[in-house]
Amino acid sequence: MNKPRHPLDRAVRISRSPVRSSTLGPGYSVANSNTRILGPHAPHALGPVQPPAASANLGLNSDRLRTQMVRRLREQGITDDRVLAAMQTVARHDFVDQGLASRAYEDAALPIGYGQTISQPWVVAYMLAVMSEGRTPQRVLEIGAGCGYQAAVMAQFIPEVYAVERIRGLYDQARLNLSRGRSRGRVRLSFGDGMQGLEHRAPFDGIVVAAAGVKIPEVLLHQLAIGARLIAPEGAAHQRLILFERTGTASWHRVELEDVRFVPLRPGTQP
């Protein structure tokens, strides 16, 4: 695999306005969440994110809270209108435990069971915006579907979304979540080893990996169409988002992006 000396000329025109690190549910920290990590000396230009007030019936004000979330994302540098509109459409509180619904629109990763988390909204928006920048992807693969939220967001502006989940309980949860509302029938969900991708559905116009491996599996790079992009966290103790663009049958451009902390990418399946 060829790794060029220079990063992508057009990689990531999203502004780098610092964002507060997210808070999490009980027993969770940035050490086990899908979230952005800021250095200890990074200025918090936007100030602390104020969580929305808890509501006895979140459904009554979820539209307003989503609008606030999308406004915050735009202030944080996300400018892709397709991504922002999709995140405005998908009800994030439908993808978390009812007990955490009042926190669904914070800029926070939240636990979804099985030691996994739903990604911080900024992380979801950023990864999708980078993958889609300057492109109109038609077929995209997600590795690590979790509760199905990110796949549901993609399905609002991408015609064919494929998602793989390796944990049976989460697969069942995602299948239920994706069977209702505006996501119904828009995502092709599979239970299996995401590290192997979906060779029989390749090539893809984009691949999003929602778990961090020490190295990004090369098999996934070969499932990209030429000109397509893969974005994934990479690393162990220190993780960064990595963007690959396939430039030929045996060539890829690589660029390192933000510091993050994701749950680990694991092989095989978990019953």
Side-chain angles (χ1 to χ4, degrees):
M1 181 177 69
N2 297 333
K3 294 184 179 179
R5 299 179 181 176
H6 303 290
L8 298 172
D9 293 337
R10 299 183 62 257
V12 195
R13 293 177 179 171
I14 298 169
S15 76
R16 303 302 177 84
S17 300
V19 184
R20 293 285 294 187
S21 297
S22 66
T23 54
L24 297 165
Y28 284 77
S29 69
V30 293
N32 59 2
S33 68
N34 293 7
T35 191
R36 186 187 190 188
I37 301 298
L38 294 178
H41 304 297
H44 298 301
L46 298 177
V49 173
Q50 297 298 324
S55 169
N57 186 346
L58 186 65
L60 294 178
N61 63 9
S62 62
D63 287 346
R64 177 176 60 83
L65 295 178
R66 283 203 301 282
T67 297
Q68 292 175 357
M69 178 187 73
V70 169
R71 182 183 303 118
R72 184 173 66 240
L73 291 171
R74 191 179 291 278
E75 290 171 352
Q76 293 168 349
I78 307 299
T79 60
D80 191 312
D81 289 333
R82 298 168 299 178
V83 174
L84 294 173
M87 296 191 72
Q88 177 72 61
T89 298
V90 178
R92 191 171 186 250
H93 67 271
D94 287 341
F95 291 81
V96 300
D97 185 87
Q98 187 175 2
L100 294 171
S102 64
R103 301 190 59 198
Y105 299 104
E106 296 180 30
D107 197 25
L110 296 171
I112 55 174
Y114 305 92
Q116 307 295 302
T117 60
I118 182 175
S119 295
Q120 177 186 10
W122 185 89
V123 167
V124 173
Y126 181 78
M127 292 179 75
L128 299 187
V130 170
M131 179 197 69
S132 304
E133 185 189 12
R135 292 156 173 77
T136 306
Q138 300 296 303
R139 174 180 292 190
V140 170
L141 173 65
E142 179 189 31
I143 304 302
C147 62
Y149 174 71
Q150 184 166 255
V153 172
M154 288 192 289
Q156 304 309 307
F157 66 100
I158 298 171
E160 292 184 53
V161 176
Y162 295 85
V164 181
E165 175 53 53
R166 64 175 297 274
I167 299 174
R168 171 62 74 173
L170 283 180
Y171 164 79
D172 291 338
Q173 181 178 323
R175 184 174 60 176
L176 176 62
N177 290 339
L178 292 167
S179 69
R180 56 197 179 194
R182 298 184 181 182
S183 303
R184 182 181 301 172
R186 296 189 177 191
V187 178
R188 297 164 175 84
L189 182 66
S190 300
F191 174 65
D193 183 355
M195 292 183 69
Q196 301 304 313
L198 286 177
E199 178 63 35
H200 65 291
R201 297 293 187 182
F204 295 99
D205 300 320
I207 298 177
V208 181
V209 183
V214 176
K215 290 187 177 181
I216 295 168
E218 190 168 331
V219 66
L220 297 180
L221 299 178
H222 285 278
Q223 292 180 23
L224 283 173
I226 294 176
R229 288 179 168 182
L230 174 149
I231 186 165
E234 181 183 77
H238 176 224
Q239 298 176 7
R240 292 184 71 86
L241 282 178
I242 307 297
L243 176 66
F244 277 96
E245 181 176 323
R246 190 169 191 176
T247 57
T249 56
S251 60
W252 293 260
H253 282 182
R254 170 189 166 108
V255 63
E256 296 189 5
L257 304 174
E258 303 285 337
D259 288 333
V260 291
R261 173 60 63 183
F262 273 67
V263 295
L265 181 66
R266 301 188 188 280
T269 59
Q270 179 179 321

